[in-house]
Amino acid sequence: MTAHAWIELSASLALLLGLAWPLGEALARVLGESRGPTAVERALFRLARVDPAEEMPWSRYATALLGFNLLGALLVYALQRLQHVLPLNPAHLGAVSPDVAFNTAVSFASNTNWQAYAGETTLSHLTQMAALTTQNFVSAATGLAVLMALIRGLTRAQASGLGNFWVDLTRASLVLLPLSLVVAVVLMGTGVPQTLAALADGASTGPVASQVAIKQLGTNGGGFFNVNSAHPLENPSPASNLVEWLALLLIPAGLCFTFGRLVRDRRQGVALLVAMLVLFVPPTLLGLWSEQQGVPALAQLGVDPSAGHLEGKEVRFGVVSSVLWSTATTAASNGSVNAMHDSFTPLGGLGPMVLMQLGEIVFGGVGSGLYGMILYVIVAVFISGLMVGRTPEYLGKKIEGREMKMAALGILIPSCAVLAGTAIATQVGAEALGNPGAHGFSELLYAFSSGANNNGSAFGGLTANGTFFTTSIGVAMWLGRYWVIVPVLAIAGSLAARKKIPPSAGTLPTHTPLFVVLLVGTIALVGALTFVPALALGPIVEHLQMLGGAS
């Protein structure tokens, strides 16, 4: 690794943590229970006939959430199918096909933003704004709402309610709006366009900055252009690249500090953040090393390896910024790209794939990353409780069989969707592969890892806009989002009903380096047992083949 790689990685993480701490503290004040509704919130609640003081049990909270997200998906589907008769639609754009419209509707409602279409040549300005950008806000706000419900489950004692979904959704949306406005203005200053000029054939501009801002801040990832943040108008310079990179990690990292403050023990949030960093850095270092080494066969042909492996990368970013983005976007459930992951070396593509397969809990999505991490915390404290012969506890709440079952469901269902989808695709969808052999298998494994873990990035060699892939990946996205949310809310409801237990000499502290090691070990063990056999058939064997071909 070069000195440049070490400096850029260290400086980027230092800047991220420096911004995340004050943001996390601010989010705790805005999203916490201690403050009353603002004037804007009261007006919105009156308009929607919502009583902000009304408490919802977990089942009703989940029903409201699922109903709202279903209606959002139906709206996105309808706007795509009807865009040819709606305003802001040029004559050359028609209705989106039913299977692609279904895939896109589930994708944006579930915060995945998998794109089986080319945005600038398929969707009108109205569809991009009213359907996709709107879902970018509310899907991220949904993740924040679930996290707030889980925090209440951990902090309340003998309570039947988890708060009010409509209040949480409103507050989260009103947090995302001003942040997105700031980022959009900054991006416009770096050269990202923002215009409602009429689309022409082969459109090259539009309301880009506003969509890019929330695609990054909301860990959505859906780009205005087909090639996402590799496009020179969506990400024109190293300055815009840094702003967008920081934006995609900023809220997930800040929420660790928010969590610590809301559970009244800042050390708990710091411990989770440290665990995330411990899991984030090794795949990033592996990718940097592998991409800077390049491909031996190309070096033997006389290609200068000093700049690293530049295939599929924009020269304005180079290897280092491309790898940093690839691991950040897959760790953060974002899925936007500034380089083509399919062109990475085998080990360069392995890191992003592993970060998705862990459940995108390493920072993860807005809200979803942290509540996904807490599922692993429950497993870790349960294991530690068995080791010392005590009932496991977390933040003064006993962890019993119900919580373990729900945590297991939340962890294993996305994993099953990845492996089952990949297995079926090897038999049904092989004709869509852009490459044979191990790399072709990696394309399939990456696609379902991305869909079931609500990421949205892809190995672009796979032609994934056919009926099989749009439908199967759509189902995987649905499973990966809502079959995690419901178990999380069930855990929150169960914990809220329990009384608080004061810590004793036998209580395992969950803020210490020892617990961080236990948590990271639990995550690594579950990931290894689940996915190493599949990875061995894809990127690992491909790496060995690459070395063998060079000898």
Side-chain angles (χ1 to χ4, degrees):
M1 283 179 55
T2 63
H4 168 217
W6 286 108
I7 292 171
E8 185 168 341
L9 172 61
S10 302
S12 298
L13 290 176
L15 184 57
L16 171 67
L17 296 177
L19 294 172
W21 176 72
L23 176 64
E25 294 291 318
L27 289 175
R29 291 191 294 271
V30 173
L31 299 173
E33 294 187 84
S34 57
R35 74 167 182 88
T38 64
V40 173
E41 291 170 351
R42 285 195 296 270
L44 291 173
F45 296 151
R46 283 197 299 269
L47 182 64
R49 297 183 180 179
V50 170
D51 179 5
E54 182 183 10
E55 290 284 330
M56 293 181 175
W58 81 264
S59 56
R60 187 176 168 201
Y61 198 103
T63 301
L65 183 152
L66 294 173
F68 176 78
N69 279 252
L70 175 61
L71 289 175
L74 292 174
L75 177 62
V76 175
Y77 181 86
L79 285 171
Q80 292 176 91
R81 297 288 293 141
L82 298 173
Q83 70 170 6
H84 59 295
V85 297
L86 295 173
L88 300 176
N89 183 70
H92 71 279
L93 290 184
V96 179
S97 65
D99 59 322
V100 173
F102 163 76
N103 180 280
T104 305
V106 175
S107 175
F108 278 78
S110 64
N111 200 242
T112 308
N113 292 43
W114 174 274
Q115 294 178 279
Y117 60 89
E120 68 269 38
T121 58
T122 306
L123 301 181
S124 69
H125 285 346
L126 179 66
T127 305
Q128 292 264 32
M129 292 185 295
L132 307 190
T133 304
T134 298
Q135 285 302 310
N136 284 347
F137 278 99
V138 296
S139 64
T142 296
L144 266 179
V146 175
L147 177 62
M148 291 302 109
L150 180 57
I151 291 174
R152 293 188 194 105
L154 290 165
T155 55
R156 291 181 175 181
Q158 297 178 303
S160 60
L162 294 176
N164 189 303
F165 171 71
W166 307 114
V167 173
D168 291 337
L169 182 75
T170 302
R171 286 186 173 180
S173 300
L174 292 177
V175 164
L176 293 168
L177 279 166
L179 287 174
S180 298
L181 178 61
V182 171
V183 172
V185 170
V186 172
L187 289 175
M188 289 166 64
T190 66
V192 179
Q194 179 70 17
T195 177
L196 289 177
L199 285 167
D201 290 342
S204 60
T205 190
V208 182
S210 58
Q211 184 167 325
V212 172
I214 187 57
K215 98 170 183 187
Q216 298 299 90
L217 281 169
T219 59
N220 297 287
F224 186 92
F225 297 101
N226 186 32
V227 294
N228 211 279
S229 286
H231 197 287
L233 293 182
E234 195 159 322
N235 190 8
S237 68
S240 64
N241 191 75
L242 177 61
V243 172
E244 293 182 30
W245 184 90
L246 286 170
L248 73 89
L249 290 174
L250 187 57
I251 295 178
L255 285 173
C256 292
F257 297 102
T258 303
F259 178 80
R261 177 164 174 171
L262 292 180
V263 300
R264 301 178 183 87
D265 186 351
R266 285 181 169 85
R267 299 172 299 176
Q268 302 290 340
V270 171
L272 297 178
L273 180 59
V274 170
M276 292 177 181
L277 289 170
V278 170
L279 291 164
F280 175 75
V281 171
T284 303
L285 294 178
L286 176 65
L288 288 169
W289 173 82
S290 183
E291 293 302 312
Q292 289 182 319
Q293 293 296 309
V295 178
L298 293 178
Q300 291 179 358
L301 292 173
V303 176
D304 182 8
S306 61
H309 183 56
L310 287 174
E311 181 187 349
K313 300 174 182 67
E314 293 295 313
V315 293
R316 64 186 185 275
F317 305 136
V319 165
V320 176
S321 293
S322 299
V323 172
L324 287 180
W325 190 297
S326 73
T327 51
T329 195
T330 48
S333 187
N334 181 271
S336 65
V337 295
N338 72 347
M340 296 301 102
H341 293 185
D342 200 22
S343 298
F344 280 23
T345 60
L347 294 185
L350 175 68
M353 206 180 301
V354 168
L355 287 167
M356 290 188 296
Q357 290 166 350
L358 292 178
E360 297 198 312
I361 55 171
V362 183
F363 299 109
V366 171
S368 62
L370 195 49
Y371 66 65
M373 176 65 84
I374 292 173
L375 293 180
Y376 278 101
V377 169
I378 289 172
V379 175
V381 297
F382 191 84
I383 292 172
S384 67
L386 294 177
M387 292 169 63
V388 299
R390 285 181 56 89
T391 301
E393 303 169 11
Y394 184 56
L395 299 178
K397 295 296 182 78
K398 283 187 177 183
I399 304 300
E400 298 179 351
R402 175 180 171 82
E403 289 73 47
M404 268 301 298
K405 291 174 183 177
M406 292 296 106
L409 284 174
I411 292 170
L412 294 178
I413 285 178
S415 301
C416 290
V418 172
L419 297 176
T422 303
I424 295 170
T426 60
Q427 302 300 313
V428 179
E431 71 281 355
L433 294 175
N435 295 277
H439 190 75
F441 180 79
S442 294
E443 290 176 347
L444 296 175
L445 182 61
Y446 194 105
F448 284 93
S449 298
S450 176
N453 290 289
N454 302 136
N455 184 266
S457 64
F459 271 12
L462 176 68
T463 304
N465 59 351
T467 302
F468 168 74
F469 285 104
T470 52
T471 304
S472 60
I473 293 176
V475 172
M477 290 186 288
W478 180 79
L479 289 171
R481 177 69 163 180
Y482 301 108
W483 281 53
V484 175
I485 283 178
V486 172
V488 167
L489 291 175
I491 290 171
S494 179
L495 294 178
R498 294 196 185 136
K499 63 181 181 180
K500 282 269 191 178
I501 302 171
S504 65
T507 301
L508 174 71
T510 53
H511 60 268
T512 62
L514 174 62
F515 183 75
V516 171
V517 172
L518 178 62
L519 176 58
V520 170
T522 300
I523 295 167
L525 182 61
V526 172
L529 291 174
T530 306
F531 289 108
V532 163
L535 293 170
L537 296 174
I540 294 175
V541 72
E542 185 185 356
H543 175 71
L544 297 176
Q545 290 173 338
M546 183 185 75
L547 296 180
S551 59

